[in-house]
Amino acid sequence: MFGLRVYVPERSSSTPVADFTCRCGETRRARGGSEIAALTAHAGSHRETCAAIDPRPCEHCGIATRLLSNGQNGYPAHKECREAWETRKPEIRRREKAAERIKKIEKSWYKTRMLREQLTRDGYAADVIDALISGGALPDPDAEPEEED
């Protein structure tokens, strides 16, 4: 196990216990609220300096860090970068998120175009290519055509 785990043992009273284990081999245990708070602070400061944790590029500035963002995603991020990002105006963040979505859509279109070109070079029929790309099924060639009203 790596990290900090807080739990209440089954056989004891309602006193919470926390275990801290690091890749470098350091382990610590704390009982009670104040000790757990101190252990949590220690775990955060230990992460910044531990040689066993490889630094990764910050998701905001790209500079290597051992810190994690304070969000749910767990991406690497300096505290200053994360704070600066969170204080930006919501409209700017919304536009950046929209730009990221557009990039994903464009990437999907590019992959689809490349797949269509490859299948065409390989000699597949147009209706087969459309079915493969759309994930749909080909029409049954033996089925009678439907009459329109």
Side-chain angles (χ1 to χ4, degrees):
M1 183 180 102
F2 169 72
L4 184 66
R5 184 175 80 123
V6 179
Y7 59 97
V8 177
E10 293 179 17
R11 297 182 185 171
S12 70
S13 64
S14 61
T15 304
V17 176
D19 291 326
F20 169 70
T21 306
C22 183
R23 291 181 185 139
C24 67
E26 179 179 346
T27 59
R28 290 191 181 191
R29 176 171 274 195
R31 294 182 191 278
S34 60
E35 288 184 19
I36 291 175
L39 183 59
T40 303
H42 169 74
S45 63
H46 177 80
R47 180 171 184 80
E48 296 177 26
T49 59
C50 181
I53 300 172
D54 294 329
R56 297 184 304 171
C58 173
E59 70 174 333
H60 303 286
C61 68
I63 298 172
T65 182
R66 290 184 176 94
L67 297 174
L68 297 178
S69 67
N70 52 0
Q72 296 278 333
N73 59 21
Y75 292 129
H78 295 102
K79 290 177 186 173
E80 300 82 18
C81 291
R82 185 71 183 177
E83 289 169 1
W85 185 83
E86 288 181 347
T87 58
R88 293 179 302 165
K89 293 181 180 177
E91 180 63 21
I92 293 172
R93 287 196 303 248
R94 187 192 63 75
R95 288 180 186 176
E96 288 180 356
K97 294 286 186 185
E100 289 173 12
R101 282 192 300 273
I102 290 170
K103 285 181 184 178
K104 286 181 181 179
I105 291 169
E106 289 173 345
K107 187 176 181 179
S108 173
W109 288 346
Y110 175 77
K111 286 182 176 181
T112 301
R113 190 178 83 226
M114 300 309 297
L115 177 61
R116 186 177 295 278
E117 289 175 6
Q118 179 65 42
L119 293 172
T120 303
R121 280 194 302 269
D122 291 347
Y124 288 93
D127 59 338
V128 173
I129 293 172
D130 291 339
L132 288 171
I133 289 176
S134 68
L138 290 172
D140 184 7
D142 298 330
E144 295 180 19
E146 294 181 12
E147 294 181 15
E148 295 183 17
D149 293 332

